[in-house]
Amino acid sequence: MASNSSLSRDAALARAAELHTQLHHHAYRYYVLDAPEIPDAEYDKLFQELQALEAEYPELQTPDSPTQRVGGALLDELQSVPHRVPMLSIQTETDTTAEGARAFDARIRKRLGLAAEAPPVDYAAELKFDGLAISLRYENGLLVRAVTRGNGEQGEDVTANIRTIGQIPLRLQGQGVPPVLEVRGEIYMRRDAFERLNARQREAGERTFINPRNTAAGAVRQLDPKITAQRPLSFYAYGLGEVVDWTQAPETHSGTLDALAAFGLPVSAERAVASGAEGLVAFHQQVAAKRDALPFDIDGVVYKVNSLALQRELGFRNREPVWAVAHKYPAQEQMTTVRDIDVQVGRTGKLTPVAKLAPVFVGGVTVTNATLHNQDEISRKDVRIGDTVIVRRAGDVIPEVVSVLLEMRPPQGTASEPWDLYKRLEGKCPVCASDIVREEGEVDYRCTGGLFCGAQRKQAILHFAQRRAMDIEGLGDKLVEQLVDQGLIRTLPELYTLGVAKLSALERMAQKSAQNIVDALEQSKRTTLPRFLFGLGIRHVGEATAKDLARHFGQLDRIMDASVEQLLEVNDVGPVVAQSIHTFFEQPHNREVVEQLRAAGVSWEEGEGSASSAPRPLMGKTLVLTGTLPTLSRDEAKDMIEAAGGKVAGSVSKKTDYVVAGAEAGSKLAKAQELGLTVLDEDGLRQLLQG
Ligand code: IVH
């Protein structure tokens, strides 16, 4: 923002104050309300303007500046800090049924000396977030310190880390903020953020994290705030620590949370004021029903007597508040043993090892299977048959084995062998016995029996039938689902044995539609070699590669018999692709399918291949098509250009050699003219193709 350098110091100060206010407001809309008013790019612009001002006038860089969230200097150790008001824990009600709520209400009524006919007590009912407790100290509305719970008397100063969490306001908003306000709440990680983080770790071949709670806690207690800044953390406020001179202090707990929300702090909307035992029971059940659908883990709900006056009257016992209780739900992590390890084959041929477990009740259901993801994960965790493991099931996520309790491993016997997927399967797909492979740089093993493998049938048929492959109109998901599930077709060639009689026996299939499909099947038999090749669904062979292969070899048999070296001679085919094609045609099953398709009448015109000396005048040239050409469709023009060795790109750039423009050409034409590129019409293209 060079223009700011012209600002006087006073003007810079005023502008910085304006930017602070705007950025705080937009951060609140974005992080806390999840309802941004401006696009990210606009926010970034304001942010960069402030950064530029601060670079010029470093005194503007106050601790509450929105620029101070990125993560400061590395710490040697976390400093221990006393809590002015201790951070206590609460009693836990472990009876996970409704009785737990009734027992708490009965205790409260007894302590308050209420007669049976006295009116019900009001409770603030909340979620029990499963993360790390934190105390945020605001002085005159500014965040000055963030401290973990520690032993309750003193915790660790994690202010630099906490500043990196977008949801935590650096400055409180609104009227009536007391001069000192300690806000207590929970730092947690959303489940989707946790899953994404682990997926990234898995892809990078790095250690995965066990659960969102441990990950959040570890991130907060980092010595390097830059690492915390990279962890997607969230926060909910649920209470108070030290408070000084709050003139408009509410008289209820629920009112306190409303006030905190008005100050710009995140407060969960999943809360209620519940009346008496039955109100608590209803809340407990409502939350239980939506527990899996919540975007974060909870391990229970918390009930608090809502009136602060009654809270004071009830006081504390054994360093726990008498007026609050945590009512638990069934745990989302449990211990069990691995009876066996199976391998499942997915729709795309991916092999996933699955632990067969001694049945265990976890996250509210009985679990007998848990994913082990892939061989690398098994090796890293060293999961073996017979091991005692921790299983986690939270939300809709598939149950997984998160760790092995090594100290419980039997000294001898089956569990002494490290488990190896390839060895266990002896290199063969458990469904179709085709070879399994693991490509370099990939974590998954795959079955190479694409067309033949029962597990991949539906996917293979849909791929084959799609418009850009065999173009069998009307053969969509629903129909393929029915055909395969009812055993009407098992292999691709059997598609061509479908008649009107078989088809019209299916659900919601009229005679007429059945006839249309039979016609579409008949029509699809006349195809081209690139379409056929693409339709086979060979891994890494997309449309472009299929065209390159067809052009290079001219005939299918030559491709099927090509060595890896010969395949490598094809335009744009590298070692991974060459190996994949070679492996595919090495499987006798796949060759059989090709033969059967030909026998069913699928045919195309074969050529000489570019081993022949057909001229390729557009070799190395990039063209862009725009508008409607008088006689050629876009696909036809594309095929002709590619046959001549050229490439068709989607957008115009300096690297574009020619732009072919037809009627109603729009911005691409304008861009071409701006860059001074050669623009052709259809005739011009035809001339170019002549060479
Ligand atoms: S109130 C004096 N409310 O559960 C009462 N705690 O033992 C202070 N927690 O580690 C706690 N959600 O971090 C309260 N809605 C909630 C909570 C909650 C989670 C955690 C808290 C503490 C533990 C209580």
Side-chain angles (χ1 to χ4, degrees):
M1 287 280 137
S3 59
N4 281 323
S5 57
S6 58
L7 290 186
S8 70
R9 195 176 168 283
D10 282 355
L13 228 79
R15 179 66 186 147
E18 230 172 72
L19 287 168
H20 274 207
T21 306
Q22 287 182 16
L23 288 164
H24 280 306
H25 171 75
H26 292 303
Y28 173 69
R29 299 283 317 184
Y30 182 88
Y31 290 111
V32 181
L33 300 185
D34 198 13
E37 290 170 342
I38 56 170
D40 292 5
E42 201 57 34
Y43 181 89
D44 292 346
K45 237 165 80 187
L46 296 173
F47 190 87
Q48 283 158 10
E49 186 185 347
L50 180 60
Q51 272 182 326
L53 279 175
E54 288 179 353
E56 203 175 341
Y57 300 102
E59 69 270 30
L60 295 180
Q61 218 179 77
T62 53
D64 70 320
S65 166
T67 63
Q68 299 307 295
R69 286 195 186 273
V70 275
L74 195 74
L75 306 173
D76 288 335
E77 60 177 336
L78 299 176
Q79 296 297 318
S80 182
V81 188
H83 293 294
R84 303 268 188 100
V85 172
M87 285 182 84
L88 303 178
S89 64
I90 41 182
Q91 323 170 37
T92 303
E93 175 58 69
T94 45
D95 180 345
T96 58
T97 72
E99 282 317 305
R102 297 201 177 94
F104 173 64
D105 177 62
R107 248 184 354 254
I108 294 293
R109 293 184 72 87
K110 190 165 161 222
R111 289 267 159 72
L112 290 173
L114 293 177
E117 59 281 5
V121 174
D122 273 350
Y123 298 100
E126 305 167 1
L127 304 181
K128 186 169 189 299
F129 312 107
D130 202 7
L132 178 79
I134 196 92
S135 184
L136 306 174
R137 187 176 175 88
Y138 288 89
E139 290 180 3
N140 300 316
L142 296 185
L143 176 68
V144 294
R145 184 165 278 175
V147 184
T148 63
R149 192 170 97 111
N151 62 9
E153 296 299 327
Q154 44 189 2
E156 289 167 319
D157 184 337
V158 289
T159 314
N161 295 340
I162 291 302
R163 281 185 181 290
T164 67
I165 303 175
Q167 279 202 328
I168 294 185
L170 300 176
R171 183 205 271 179
L172 297 180
Q173 64 184 35
Q175 300 302 307
V177 176
V180 172
L181 180 73
E182 271 181 19
V183 178
R184 301 227 163 131
E186 198 91 349
I187 305 282
Y188 66 95
M189 188 176 283
R190 286 172 56 109
R191 216 152 37 223
D192 55 357
F194 172 75
E195 294 299 326
R196 273 199 299 273
L197 180 64
N198 262 356
R200 273 208 305 276
Q201 294 287 109
R202 222 169 269 133
E203 255 162 49
E206 307 225 346
R207 166 184 91 86
T208 50
F209 297 95
I210 303 244
N211 58 37
R213 183 195 54 235
N214 292 1
T215 316
V220 169
R221 301 189 60 254
Q222 272 293 329
L223 291 174
D224 183 356
K226 295 209 167 57
I227 295 185
T228 315
Q230 289 161 16
R231 298 280 180 266
L233 299 172
S234 303
F235 171 75
Y236 274 132
Y238 57 62
L240 297 175
E242 190 186 24
V243 179
V244 176
D245 290 343
W246 193 357
T247 47
Q248 301 157 37
E251 287 172 6
T252 59
H253 181 75
S254 57
T256 304
L257 294 188
D258 293 340
L260 295 183
F263 293 158
L265 288 152
V267 174
S268 170
E270 302 288 343
R271 61 188 170 109
V273 175
S275 175
E278 292 320 301
L280 295 179
V281 169
F283 184 79
H284 186 256
Q285 286 169 353
Q286 278 159 22
V287 174
K290 61 169 111 157
R291 183 186 188 192
D292 279 356
L294 290 172
F296 45 83
D297 286 356
I298 58 169
D299 56 349
V301 286
V302 178
Y303 312 134
K304 299 167 184 171
V305 170
N306 198 30
S307 154
L308 300 183
L310 288 184
Q311 282 191 7
R312 281 188 288 273
E313 188 179 331
L314 288 159
F316 297 82
R317 259 196 175 203
N318 304 325
R319 306 196 47 74
E320 282 174 346
V322 173
W323 43 265
V325 77
H327 192 185
K328 294 274 205 167
Y329 288 124
Q332 289 174 318
E333 282 178 17
Q334 286 293 354
M335 213 168 80
T336 186
T337 52
V338 176
R339 289 179 170 169
D340 199 0
I341 299 176
D342 257 11
V343 180
Q344 282 175 1
V345 188
R347 277 162 60 90
T348 58
K350 178 171 138 180
L351 302 182
T352 305
V354 176
K356 299 278 152 187
L357 306 169
V360 61
F361 191 67
V362 45
V365 301
T366 300
V367 166
T368 52
N369 291 327
T371 182
L372 290 160
H373 298 290
N374 57 52
Q375 179 63 51
D376 284 1
E377 288 263 308
I378 294 185
S379 304
R380 209 172 301 120
K381 294 171 184 160
D382 191 16
V383 185
R384 306 180 187 190
I385 295 169
D387 270 347
T388 302
V389 294
I390 302 282
V391 179
R392 174 179 151 82
R393 192 203 83 100
D396 304 330
V397 183
I398 305 167
E400 61 172 345
V401 170
V402 293
S403 60
V404 176
L405 299 170
L406 287 175
E407 62 281 9
M408 295 184 72
R409 175 170 290 166
Q412 278 149 355
T414 45
S416 54
E417 275 283 293
W419 194 86
D420 185 273
L421 188 145
Y422 194 87
K423 260 199 231 156
R424 156 83 180 236
L425 297 180
E426 293 173 350
K428 302 288 180 203
C429 170
V431 173
C432 75
S434 298
D435 292 343
I436 62 170
V437 292
R438 179 176 169 178
E439 285 169 10
E440 214 175 299
E442 298 228 345
V443 292
D444 296 308
Y445 279 96
R446 290 181 176 276
C447 164
T448 56
L451 299 176
F452 176 78
C453 182
Q456 300 171 66
R457 224 164 256 163
K458 289 178 190 170
Q459 185 90 332
I461 294 170
L462 281 170
H463 180 83
F464 185 75
Q466 69 176 289
R467 194 177 61 82
R468 311 193 74 98
M470 300 299 281
D471 193 15
I472 308 171
E473 222 186 305
L475 197 70
D477 299 22
K478 296 254 160 54
L479 183 55
V480 169
E481 190 94 32
Q482 283 194 65
L483 289 170
V484 173
D485 290 347
Q486 299 187 18
L488 290 177
I489 48 175
R490 278 160 310 157
T491 65
L492 278 184
E494 283 177 16
L495 265 180
Y496 290 102
T497 65
L498 287 172
V500 174
K502 257 195 206 172
L503 282 165
S504 51
L506 292 172
E507 224 177 283
R508 264 172 296 169
M509 173 72 70
Q511 183 91 13
K512 174 92 176 19
S513 333
Q515 185 60 55
N516 287 345
I517 290 179
V518 172
D519 292 347
L521 279 163
E522 197 50 42
Q523 251 179 31
S524 76
K525 288 183 183 170
R526 215 43 233 136
T527 186
T528 65
L529 180 53
R531 279 176 175 275
F532 182 77
L533 265 177
F534 172 58
L536 292 178
I538 306 166
R539 197 161 152 74
H540 301 304
V541 177
E543 271 184 286
T545 307
K547 284 178 184 167
D548 286 335
L549 287 167
R551 207 173 296 130
H552 184 92
F553 290 102
Q555 294 163 23
L556 182 61
D557 288 332
R558 289 193 195 151
I559 301 173
M560 288 173 48
D561 295 335
S563 65
V564 170
E565 290 70 34
Q566 287 167 329
L567 288 163
L568 280 168
E569 288 168 15
V570 180
N571 213 5
D572 283 340
V573 168
V576 172
V577 184
Q579 188 59 57
S580 169
I581 299 165
H582 190 256
T583 313
F584 182 90
F585 287 118
E586 227 178 23
Q587 308 302 310
H589 299 317
N590 290 337
R591 295 179 88 96
E592 229 167 84
V593 169
V594 169
E595 281 330 306
Q596 288 167 353
L597 285 167
R598 278 168 155 167
V602 175
S603 68
W604 54 86
E605 239 167 70
E606 298 214 306
E608 280 307 305
S610 60
S612 79
S613 49
R616 313 198 69 206
L618 291 183
M619 201 63 202
K621 301 285 185 210
T622 301
L623 288 82
V624 171
L625 298 168
T626 177
T628 312
L629 299 178
T631 70
L632 289 175
S633 75
R634 188 162 289 227
D635 280 347
E636 284 166 343
K638 188 167 179 233
D639 284 347
M640 288 164 73
I641 291 165
E642 287 174 347
K647 279 213 173 89
V648 175
S651 62
V652 176
S653 75
K654 270 187 267 173
K655 294 197 187 117
T656 311
D657 294 292
Y658 302 100
V659 172
V660 184
E664 273 153 58
S667 61
K668 287 182 193 170
L669 178 58
K671 178 95 188 273
Q673 284 159 344
E674 195 185 307
L675 293 173
L677 304 176
T678 310
V679 177
L680 306 171
D681 59 7
E682 184 176 315
D683 281 343
L685 172 64
R686 287 183 189 278
Q687 274 173 28
L688 205 60
L689 291 166
Q690 303 292 309

